[in-house]
Amino acid sequence: MKLLLQNKNYMYLLWGYTFSILVDSIVFMMCLKIVEVLSNNTTSYTFLYIFHYIPAVLFSLWIGAWINSKKLEKVMITSLIVRIAILLTFLFADGLNNLSMVYLFIFIESFISIFFFPSTDTLVTKIVNKEQRLMANGFIKLLYVLMQGMGFGISTILIKMNISLVFILGICLIALVIATFFISKINKHYEITLQKQNIVKEVLDTMRYLQQHKLTSKIFILFAIAWLVASSIDLIVISYLTNVSKVSSDNFGIVAIIVFVGMILGAHLSSYLYDKINVKYIFSFPLLVYSVTVLSMYFFQQWTYTLPFFLLGGFSLGFFEVCFTTFLQDYNDEQYYTRIFSFQNMILSSMPLPGMLFLGVFIEWSGIKLTIIIVSFLLFVVSIFAYLTNYKQVNDQEIKDIV
């Protein structure tokens, strides 16, 4: 850890990433508040989430291919500068009073993040030794969780204090300037050496790579199925609290805090566990634990009894996120990093919408109890498939053959 903390390039990246994520969470909360003020109906919130997720679904692979041979820190700096410009434009154009402008703004914000996140995960492999990579990923994922929670907390407190939304967005501007400063301090330029080709060919090349790299393809399929359900778990928890435990939905905040604490512990301990356990458990164990976490809501009517299970569920989620990123770095050729992480981002952003729509309808149709059983069973089945998957590591010669 000492060597990692002495790595100035990594620390600059870490601080820049921290302020960027903080702004992400604050801005999204601001958009939710603006929608509440301007409309406050379910359709308006649905459109906000659609415009938030749809850019990654449509553009992740193309942008991943475009940044593949670019200087990653320059891509990140440019994306931050564009965010500053967009935020200023939004303020001066009086976007706080126009619902269409809010949708356009969140769309552009999400679009720009497609450049930032794959560049971050790829840049880690360029500025950190392989021996320190797992811990480096752990800090990145840990700060993501912390800044998401802190951003939501800060924005909620400021709103309740009746602080002007313009003032809050002004804080976001300052944070983005600080993030840009730190990323610009990275004093070496890293890029993936690759023969120049057009973006369409690179996307097709990525599809061929995934088709031939069976292990990565299987993992992404398992991840997509699991995330389709897990990303929509909030609906089940809220319905459980209000319909089964008969308590206010505000208690969801306590459940979320417990999950965040578990994620922090899981992300921290992952650096000690990753090399000590079989790869199959990295994917099967978190799914099994989350299956039990969901099932606990079926057996306990008193919601406080489920909190230890949500702590374990958060732990497994934090452990998985760090190990999954490290796994993708270890088991794939470096020239595909930006495209692989863009593909991961596409799955993360595309699964929540159909998951929420399906679960929302299913809960109304069958009730919360049956929904809990079905979701828990689905996660359990996916964990079995994850356990039975062949995790044969690809050697250098096989990678050359694929490429």
Side-chain angles (χ1 to χ4, degrees):
M1 181 182 294
K2 183 178 179 181
L3 290 175
L4 187 63
L5 296 178
Q6 291 175 344
N7 185 331
K8 291 184 178 180
N9 284 332
Y10 175 72
M11 294 307 297
Y12 291 143
L13 174 65
L14 199 65
W15 281 110
Y17 179 83
T18 297
F19 281 98
S20 177
I21 296 301
L22 181 64
V23 171
D24 286 344
S25 57
I26 293 176
V27 164
F28 190 75
M29 282 295 292
M30 292 302 97
C31 289
L32 283 173
K33 182 61 180 179
I34 294 170
V35 170
E36 177 186 338
V37 172
L38 297 179
S39 178
N40 195 28
N41 63 62
T42 303
T43 302
S44 298
Y45 290 115
T46 301
F47 273 112
L48 183 69
Y49 276 97
I50 290 174
F51 280 101
H52 177 63
Y53 286 122
I54 203 68
V57 178
L58 296 178
F59 304 113
S60 285
L61 284 180
W62 306 98
I63 292 175
W66 183 79
I67 66 177
N68 190 43
S69 57
K70 301 294 185 295
K71 292 175 178 172
L72 300 173
E73 73 279 12
K74 287 191 174 181
V75 172
M76 297 172 73
I77 291 170
T78 302
S79 69
L80 289 168
I81 292 174
V82 171
R83 288 186 70 184
I84 293 171
I86 294 299
L87 192 53
L88 285 170
T89 303
F90 178 72
L91 288 172
F92 284 116
D94 202 22
L96 297 175
N97 296 313
N98 189 310
L99 200 58
S100 298
M101 285 288 290
V102 175
Y103 293 149
L104 178 61
F105 173 71
I106 201 67
F107 180 90
I108 297 173
E109 272 277 305
S110 300
F111 177 79
I112 297 170
S113 71
I114 307 173
F115 293 85
F116 193 87
F117 289 114
S119 298
T120 302
D121 287 333
T122 305
L123 192 56
V124 167
T125 66
K126 300 299 173 185
I127 62 180
V128 174
N129 295 330
K130 188 172 183 179
E131 294 75 20
Q132 301 170 332
R133 187 182 293 173
L134 184 63
M135 187 172 292
N137 289 328
F139 280 124
I140 291 286
K141 301 306 178 184
L142 180 62
L143 282 171
Y144 179 86
V145 175
L146 287 174
M147 291 303 106
Q148 283 276 313
M150 186 177 294
F152 291 150
I154 290 173
S155 53
T156 300
I157 291 171
L158 292 177
I159 289 173
K160 288 185 177 297
M161 293 173 60
N162 294 318
I163 302 298
S164 166
L165 295 181
V166 174
F167 180 81
I168 297 174
L169 292 177
I171 295 175
C172 292
L173 280 172
I174 295 173
L176 286 175
V177 171
I178 295 173
T180 306
F181 168 77
F182 279 117
I183 298 298
S184 68
K185 293 285 287 182
I186 298 176
N187 56 25
K188 293 181 180 179
H189 298 299
Y190 304 89
E191 62 179 305
I192 299 172
T193 305
L194 187 68
Q195 183 179 356
K196 297 292 183 180
Q197 56 181 328
N198 65 50
I199 296 176
V200 174
K201 287 183 178 180
E202 289 208 15
V203 171
L204 294 176
D205 183 40
T206 305
M207 294 296 99
R208 284 192 296 269
Y209 175 80
L210 290 173
Q211 183 181 11
Q212 297 176 51
H213 205 287
K214 300 296 184 183
L215 179 55
T216 302
S217 299
K218 290 177 182 177
I219 293 304
F220 272 132
I221 292 171
L222 290 170
F223 175 55
I225 296 172
W227 192 243
L228 178 68
V229 178
S231 63
S232 312
I233 207 73
D234 293 1
L235 288 176
I236 295 178
V237 176
I238 293 173
S239 183
Y240 163 77
L241 290 171
T242 55
N243 297 323
V244 178
S245 284
K246 306 298 182 182
V247 295
S248 170
S249 61
D250 293 343
N251 290 293
F252 175 74
I254 298 175
V255 176
I257 291 172
I258 295 297
V259 172
F260 278 143
V261 171
M263 290 180 68
I264 292 170
L265 294 173
H268 176 69
L269 292 178
S270 61
S271 59
Y272 302 101
L273 299 174
Y274 180 78
D275 293 323
K276 295 179 174 62
I277 63 175
N278 192 300
V279 176
K280 65 175 64 179
Y281 296 116
I282 292 175
F283 300 98
S284 60
F285 172 74
L287 289 168
L288 179 61
V289 171
Y290 223 73
S291 172
V292 174
T293 299
V294 173
L295 193 60
S296 69
M297 290 184 284
Y298 180 84
F299 289 105
F300 297 110
Q301 182 173 340
Q302 175 55 255
W303 70 280
T304 54
Y305 293 161
T306 67
L307 293 181
F309 293 94
F310 279 104
L311 182 67
L312 288 175
F315 176 89
S316 67
L317 188 58
F319 169 79
F320 172 79
E321 287 189 355
V322 175
C323 292
F324 186 39
T325 300
T326 306
F327 174 87
L328 292 176
Q329 293 167 346
D330 288 345
Y331 281 68
N332 290 282
D333 190 270
E334 116 177 343
Q335 68 171 299
Y336 289 91
Y337 279 167
T338 56
R339 287 171 281 178
I340 289 293
F341 289 123
S342 293
F343 193 74
Q344 178 191 13
N345 189 46
M346 183 181 73
I347 293 175
L348 283 168
S349 299
S350 61
M351 290 299 104
L353 281 179
M356 284 182 175
L357 291 173
F358 170 76
L359 283 181
V361 173
F362 196 81
I363 290 172
E364 289 292 328
W365 173 71
S366 64
I368 184 62
K369 286 282 191 176
L370 182 59
T371 303
I372 288 172
I373 294 175
I374 296 297
V375 169
S376 177
F377 178 73
L378 177 60
L379 289 172
F380 175 75
V381 170
V382 178
S383 73
I384 297 300
F385 278 106
Y387 180 82
L388 297 176
T389 298
N390 179 16
Y391 293 96
K392 177 182 177 291
Q393 184 168 352
V394 182
N395 59 43
D396 293 338
Q397 185 57 49
E398 288 174 317
I399 290 176
K400 291 179 181 178
D401 292 340
I402 291 173
V403 176

